[in-house]
Amino acid sequence: MTIMNEKDPLGVYAHIPYCASKCPYCSFNSAAVIAVPEVRYTNCILNELDCYLEKDGIGGRGLESIYIGGGTPSLFSPPAIGRMVDGIKTRFVPSPDIETTLEVNPDSVDALRFEGYLAAGVTRVSIGAQSFDDAVLKTLGRRHPASKAVSAVKDAKAAGFENVGVDLIFGVPGQGMASWKAALTVAVELRPQHISVYGLTMEEDTPFYSLYGKSRDRAAVEEREAQMYETALGVLKGAGYLHYEISNFALPGFMSRGNRRYWLGGDYIGLGAGAHSFFSSQGGQYPPKWGLRRWNTADAVSYMESIEAKGVATDGSESPTETEARTEAALLGLRMLDTGIDAEAFKARFGVYPSAAFHNIEAFEKEGLLLLRGEDVLLTHKGALISNEILYRF
Amino acid sequence: MTDKNKIRNFSIIAHIDHGKSTLSDRLLEFTGAITKREMIDQFLDKMELERERGVTIKAQTARLNYRAADGLDYVLNLIDTPGHVDFSYEVSRSLSACEGAVLIVDASQGVEAQTVAHLYTAVDVGLEIFPVLNKIDLPASDPERIKKEIEEVLGIDASRSVLTSAKEGIGIKDVLEAIVTRIPPPKGDASAPLKALVFDCWYDNYQGVVVQIRVFDGSVKQGTKIKFFATGKVFEVDKVGVFAPFPKEAAELGVGEVGFVVAGIKEVRDTTVGDTITDADNPAAEPFPGYKPAKSMVFAGLYPVDSAQYENLKDAVVKLRLNDSAFTFEPETSLALGFGFRCGFLGLFHMEIIQERLEREYGLNLITTAPTVVYRVTKTDGASINIDNPAALPSPQYIDFIEEPFILAAIHMPSEYLGAVLGLCEAKRGIQREIKYLSTLRIKLIYEIPLNEVVLDFYDKLKTLSKGYASMDYEYLDFRKSDLIKLDILINGEGVDALSVIVPRERAFGRGKELAEKMKEIIPRQMFEVAIQAAIGSRVIARETVKAMRKNVTAKCYGGDITRKRKLIEKQKEGKKRMKQVGKVELPQEAFLAVLKVG
């Protein structure tokens, strides 16, 4: 086994599976609770990490990012978050400019709380505004009004956060183009460093799926959503945001480092209920050649009981085959619109350039769906809209 | 060799689901032919495909030893029959090998359509028939009502019906007793020259062709030089035996016996069903009557989706033909589909079975083009050619006239569906020959119909219109002049030869419109717009557009999503592999069969 050090940095993802209420479109691992067991859960996160340090031999490695997502992590108090962040940092060698993101729900925060999170070591907040239109927020089943979404962004900035992200959703039933444009305008005026625009996906296990999943006219729905996406591109790029990932925009220097790690195939440790970890093949014999992915049991109570009993709560793991690893490299690499599939990194891993590994690249380039920069393969904006179709034929 | 007076040869006739397989299993079990341990439910439906579809495709037999109430030992030969209209000739041959038939009727549901065609065949070949009312354990069963129905609808004496529940094992012994006492023993002359009917045959990798026969006169054993009447070919018998139901060698097969013959035969085509075997050194004067050569009636192109599978397909069709003399093939090239084979089938069902077997047993991924019949084209220069592929039809200026095959269809049905079925026959260009009331409730319709209409969707429509109660049987009539033209389909401006169909001129416009609309439903949206046009010659008569796929993108893909997203892509990739790429457009199998769904 190769001994790794701070030159092989990794990222940590901690999942907080609690919400004040469950939104009808959400298929994420979360459950509504009255009171969050933040002390017990935080203990479990840190115990789990200790167990990994021993088992995976990852102690002493560099730490580039911490991402606390959910659920609604902002249901956890600043002291709990602080203990979690500190606990994670002390177990690695954190880089001086470590990015520590906390997902925040406008409903569960105020100016004071933002100050608390900042003091707790959080450097970046990602605010789930979703919309700035009360009607759309109501359809989405969100607990906050548009005014609260606006004040949350303002409060975060006022508290001293210099890296604020805002999430928006388009393609919501009943959401017109005017509402979407207005939301984008509000977002741009608030000037967060990062904006995510997510097309609403009707996931099969959600109430939304049974309500709206079987749309009669798929083509018309797609057309409307495509126009909304294109509108977002126009507004956000016009306001100086870089379109660096299919759904993500950032002011220069403010791409989400924690998330980018996933797309680059870097190592990350997932802690908490349902969290996924990934160890790439860098370092030889262990982990397996094409990497190792491991995930935890999803249920919060089972997770905690398992951690308390044996220190781990692994539910399953997989080692992708070479073909699967290539598919993942394409699936993830193409998401990064600024860099695409890094051909040299790809070749170092698989022995060939992407052009030799995948079908139809030339044809898609001719259609204006892909862009070749040297051997790197990138999606065009036109290609991004139908990127799944490209991947089905890769 | 068994004393012929102790032999009973019988078949079971039943509607699907009425319990034929279960009763067969019980008879095998009761007589000890197979033990519980060997019992796979529904033993007689051997092929996996048959079990799934619930339809017997190949005839199977089982020899049962039974000590009857009279204290004597009998040999009961159960001869199973194929269960689909495409195989009606094979059914008639299987039934001809019997002296009697057990008619199973569900005591809760009564007489149903599928039973009727086979029953009439059984009556035609002169079998002794007795009814068995099955499923008497069901609360809804009403044997008295059903008996009355059998007598009224089928005209068969039902007063001595046997009551059973095959599922519960009730009445099995009564069925066996009825077979012994009510079905006559075979007749025949042991000293006469060998005369045996071939009612099934298949290719076995180790023994070559295995021929199933019923001996009418004389006997056959190892060393007998046998001659096939129809082909004139002579083979020396390696071994004879019976299926009990597992194969068991026997010294000899004598008068009335049912069994198999292995004689170093390499090709199934040398041994068509319905042929007669005789002794080459001492031949019978005449064959068993009613032989018809197996004849492909429906033709379609079979192409590998992935051109690299052509050689595998070639090997597979060669092997499959060894086992199926009604299946024919010859190499064919399509501009759109590449290299493939033009194949002949008995009917649509036969075609589906062959495609499924090729895909399942040989791991192939195939496209079948729209089925067609053979057209006889007389050209302006007087030459006559047969066309089994619409794409090969000469240009109109070289055609003097076209003839198409007609069949004589006999349709049995309850009288309440008469109006609907008459409408269907007329819509399919049928010519009425006869309407006959068999009873106040049942009608027999005789129609002359172009075979092409029948191979498309006639049978399905007939079943739908009559709620499954109408049954149909047909025989080939003759070729007749018809005013036919070729309808072409263009995809993004390019003609796709494999999509061309031959249609009556007066219906070309409607068909073209329907076909374009149907294709629009079937062709999935692609990354660009797809134009579908129907054309006659250079004249476009219908146009539909499949809009381009506008948005298909995964909104979120973070750490926990990767495996799921990758699996989704892998699944879709598999799906794409089932599509045939024609030009830039990906066409699913159904697109090539769209013509079956219109008209």
Side-chain angles (χ1 to χ4, degrees), chain B residues 42 44-60 80 353 360:
Chain B
Q42 305 187 357
L44 288 176
D45 287 348
K46 262 195 259 179
M47 265 167 38
E48 190 189 348
L49 208 58
E50 294 185 346
R51 231 179 257 151
E52 271 173 34
R53 291 193 172 226
V55 173
T56 312
I57 296 160
K58 305 288 284 182
Q60 311 285 352
D80 203 6
I353 295 287
R360 197 179 294 200

Side-chain angles (χ1 to χ4, degrees), chain A residues 348-359:
Chain A
R349 237 182 129 195
F350 300 109
V352 290
Y353 281 128
S355 56
F358 301 115
H359 299 110

Side-chain angles (χ1 to χ4, degrees), chain A residues 6 8 23 37 53 115 136 207 241 268 334 347 366 390:
Chain A
E6 67 265 30
D8 304 303
C23 300
L53 291 178
E115 283 171 24
V136 172
Y241 289 86
Y268 50 89
L334 286 180
K347 196 179 179 193
K366 225 177 271 174
I390 293 173

Side-chain angles (χ1 to χ4, degrees), chain A residues 198-199 222-223 225-226 230 246-248 259 262-263 268 276 293 318 324 328 335 364 367 369 384-394, chain B residues 525-528 547-570 572-573 576 581 584 586:
Chain A
Y198 296 118
E222 267 176 33
E223 180 58 42
E225 291 181 1
E230 283 161 352
I246 284 175
S247 303
N248 288 295
N259 285 340
Y262 303 130
W263 306 320
Y268 50 89
H276 288 229
R293 186 171 288 117
E318 66 165 1
E324 287 168 349
E328 287 180 8
R335 294 195 72 85
F364 289 133
E367 299 283 335
L369 301 169
L385 263 174
I386 47 171
S387 47
N388 283 343
E389 296 292 322
I390 293 173
L391 287 165
Y392 301 159
R393 293 164 180 82
F394 235 38
Chain B
R525 284 183 303 132
Q526 324 249 326
M527 297 161 81
F528 41 83
K547 279 194 193 154
M549 171 79 70
R550 190 69 167 89
K551 176 174 171 286
N552 183 6
V553 52
T554 301
K556 291 188 181 191
C557 189
Y558 300 114
D561 305 314
I562 298 168
T563 304
R564 198 159 60 93
K565 302 299 181 198
R566 185 196 74 225
K567 285 188 174 158
L568 191 77
I569 289 168
E570 284 161 356
Q572 289 285 335
K573 273 191 165 181
K576 296 290 170 227
Q581 188 140 353
K584 271 168 54 187
E586 292 157 350

Side-chain angles (χ1 to χ4, degrees), chain B residues 129-307:
Chain B
I129 298 157
F130 70 85
V132 165
L133 301 191
N134 194 27
K135 303 196 186 181
I136 54 157
D137 58 308
L138 295 184
S141 81
D142 187 353
E144 288 315 307
R145 178 176 66 83
I146 303 301
K147 278 185 195 173
K148 223 172 135 196
E149 190 179 305
I150 291 173
E151 292 185 347
E152 277 178 8
V153 173
L154 303 175
I156 287 180
D157 176 15
S159 60
R160 291 166 64 210
S161 297
V162 180
L163 304 184
T164 64
S165 164
K167 193 165 138 262
E168 301 297 327
I170 299 166
I172 306 305
K173 193 174 163 56
D174 299 337
V175 174
L176 290 164
E177 283 301 317
I179 289 169
V180 169
T181 57
R182 293 170 66 174
I183 293 177
K187 296 192 184 77
D189 184 350
S191 59
L194 171 66
K195 187 191 276 189
L197 171 70
V198 176
F199 63 87
D200 198 8
C201 55
W202 61 87
Y203 186 81
D204 179 291
N205 282 334
Y206 302 102
Q207 313 184 85
V209 177
V210 178
V211 186
Q212 285 235 66
I213 58 163
R214 152 70 199 270
V215 179
F216 282 91
D217 289 325
S219 65
V220 59
K221 61 185 175 191
Q222 186 189 352
T224 307
K225 279 212 182 83
I226 53 168
K227 184 178 142 187
F228 288 85
F229 260 96
T231 60
K233 299 223 170 160
V234 175
F235 300 91
E236 189 175 315
V237 174
D238 293 331
K239 63 176 170 187
V240 299
V242 296
F243 288 102
F246 301 104
K248 204 170 107 189
E249 270 190 62
E252 198 176 357
L253 294 176
V255 170
E257 286 196 288
V258 170
F260 65 85
V261 171
V262 173
I265 307 165
K266 296 280 178 290
E267 291 196 48
V268 165
R269 271 169 301 162
D270 292 333
T271 60
T272 47
V273 167
D275 199 355
T276 301
I277 289 177
T278 190
D279 187 333
D281 297 330
N282 178 23
E286 283 180 354
F288 188 82
Y291 171 73
K292 279 193 249 171
K295 196 172 168 208
S296 304
M297 302 295 270
V298 175
F299 296 82
L302 278 182
Y303 291 84
V305 172
D306 175 1
S307 322

